[in-house]
Structure formats: C-alpha cells, structure tokens
Amino acid sequence: METVSTNKAFGGVQGVHTHASAETGTEMTFSVFVPEHEAGAKLPVLWFLSGLTCTHANVTEKGEFRRACAEHGVILVAPDTSPRGDDVPDDEAYDFGKGAGFYVDATEAPWKANFRMRSYLEIELPAVIAEHFPADMARQGITGHSMGGHGALTMALRDPSRFRSVSAFAPIVSPLNCPWGEKALTGYIGTDKAAWREYDACALIQDGARLPDLLVDQGKADGFLEGQLKTHLLEEACAKAGQPATIRMQDGYDHSYYFISTFMAEHIGWHAERLK
C-alpha cells in the first residue's frame, strides 16, 4: 500500500491510498478516514460504496461524514467503483465499463479479466484495511449510494455474518427490473437471468436471505426513482418476507450529494449504535 495524501480533519486523519490489486489486475485507489483514538484501540469500520461515474473522491469530498465518524469513533472506507487503467476495457456510455463496475465479478469477455469488484471488496481490500489500519474487522457496517446502495445491500444479504449494520441512499434495489441493471448484468455476467439473482437485493430476499435490520433513505424528487431505483420493489419484498426495514421517502430531495450529506450523520449514528 502507498499513501497518496493525508489531511487532518476533526482530530483524525483523512487519507487516500493506492495498492496493486491481484483481483482487478490494476492499481486501485481508496480513501480511509481514521478518527482520533487511543493508542492500540481498534475501531469499527463502515464501508461506503459509491454510484455510477464516481470514484473514491465523491463521498470523500462531498459526503460530510467526518464530524460524525469522529464523534462516534468509526473508520470510513471509500473504495473506487471499478478498475481503471489504459489496458482496462471500457464503454462510451456512463452506465457501463469504467466507473460502473456494479460490484460484480464479471464472467463475460472482455470484462472478466479486470471487473472483479465483488471479490475485491469481499476478500482483497478488507485484508488491506485489516493490515494497515486500526480496524476491528469483527465490527463492520456497510452503506452506499445508487449503484453503491445496490452493492451494499447485496454484499450484506449474501454475507450477513460479516456486517452488523446495513443502510443505503437511493439504492438500485432490483437490477433484474431496471435498464441500468439489465444492461450491466447482461454485459458482465451474460443473458442467464438466474445468475443475476445474487446481485439483486429483492431477489436475494425472495430467495431467503435476511438481515437483522436495514435503513434506506430515498428522495421523492429523485429523477431516477421511477425508472431505475424502484424503491417500492424493496418495500414489497421486505413486507412479504418479514424482513425488518426502515425505508424513508424524503420530500424534495434528489439523487445528489446534497441529499446524501443531509442524512449522512444520521446513518453513521445508526451504524455506530449497531457496531458498539
């Protein structure tokens, strides 16, 4: 691991780091905020997965999370959304290729060599965090925005023993039933929709996956709500399965970081309660 930059904030340290990833075959960049803490202390970890077109920098610069993380003593880790580099395949569209990894392990050419964000986040990057930071990996939570909300929900539903807390901002709740998801999963995984179900939060719940609880905030003025996000499908899946969930529709809020930053501190406090 190499450190690109560090800045003091709210008594802690905001860092940006890189490392050579075996999973993606590229250099990967991620940011970590470590609150001020006593020597030798281990702190809980909250993962934030970003949305389409984003990098680690979007939430790092606009998420307004550091005050709350410092208050609650929570490390926040923000990975990139896809592999990058001159040799990495790409697509001209914003919703596929670089910046649009969808947190899957691709099985289709030419994507399968590099687009392994699921294994990167489930196996490789957690090992880096455990080695280099004062992280208590027995106390992990996860959240994310849009495509990253999809990633947070599906990662937690597949491995509920890893995450004590799960939330999301304006998540893509069912890639099986929206244009973003259909395009990405067809391109990365192929046309067999049975293979898509492990990357669809609603399908995972329908198939028996459960979490102790989950928190979702969704803006009612979000231009993607009806066509892509379809929050009602998650509400229906949770109600039918008896999955505890707090799903809040927020008047007047759109899909931007103005929305995310408004509710970020509340989400961090919600996670901190469950990560004690």
Side-chain angles (χ1 to χ4, degrees), residues 53 82-85 88-101 110-111 115 183-184 187-188:
T53 76
S82 77
R84 299 180 193 273
V88 174
D90 197 10
D91 190 271
E92 291 183 358
Y94 76 95
D95 55 356
F96 194 67
K98 293 179 186 178
W111 313 101
F115 281 70
K183 179 177 180 178
Y188 293 137

Side-chain angles (χ1 to χ4, degrees), residues 210-245:
R210 295 291 182 272
L211 297 168
D213 195 5
L214 62 90
L215 170 65
V216 171
D217 274 310
Q218 171 64 58
K220 287 186 178 180
D222 190 325
F224 299 113
L225 175 58
E226 297 301 323
Q228 302 283 8
L229 307 177
K230 301 187 177 184
T231 310
H232 69 280
L233 295 179
L234 181 64
E235 292 180 299
E236 293 164 7
C238 288
K240 186 173 182 180
Q243 165 64 55

Side-chain angles (χ1 to χ4, degrees), residues 11 45 50 67 103 105 118 133 144 149 175 186:
V45 178
S50 292
R67 183 186 295 275
Y103 304 104
D105 278 354
R118 173 179 175 175
F133 298 94
T186 299

Side-chain angles (χ1 to χ4, degrees), residues 56-84:
H56 70 284
N58 297 73
V59 70
T60 305
E61 296 170 1
K62 297 186 289 187
E64 300 185 25
F65 57 84
R66 279 171 286 269
R67 183 186 295 275
C69 283
E71 176 185 345
H72 295 288
V74 174
I75 293 172
L76 190 136
V77 180
D80 203 346
T81 52
S82 77
R84 299 180 193 273

Side-chain angles (χ1 to χ4, degrees), residues 31 42 91 127 136 140 155 161 164 197 226 256:
S31 78
K42 294 285 189 178
D91 190 271
D136 182 354
Q140 295 185 66
M155 283 180 63
S161 64
R164 291 192 187 182
R197 295 186 71 81
E226 297 301 323
S256 72

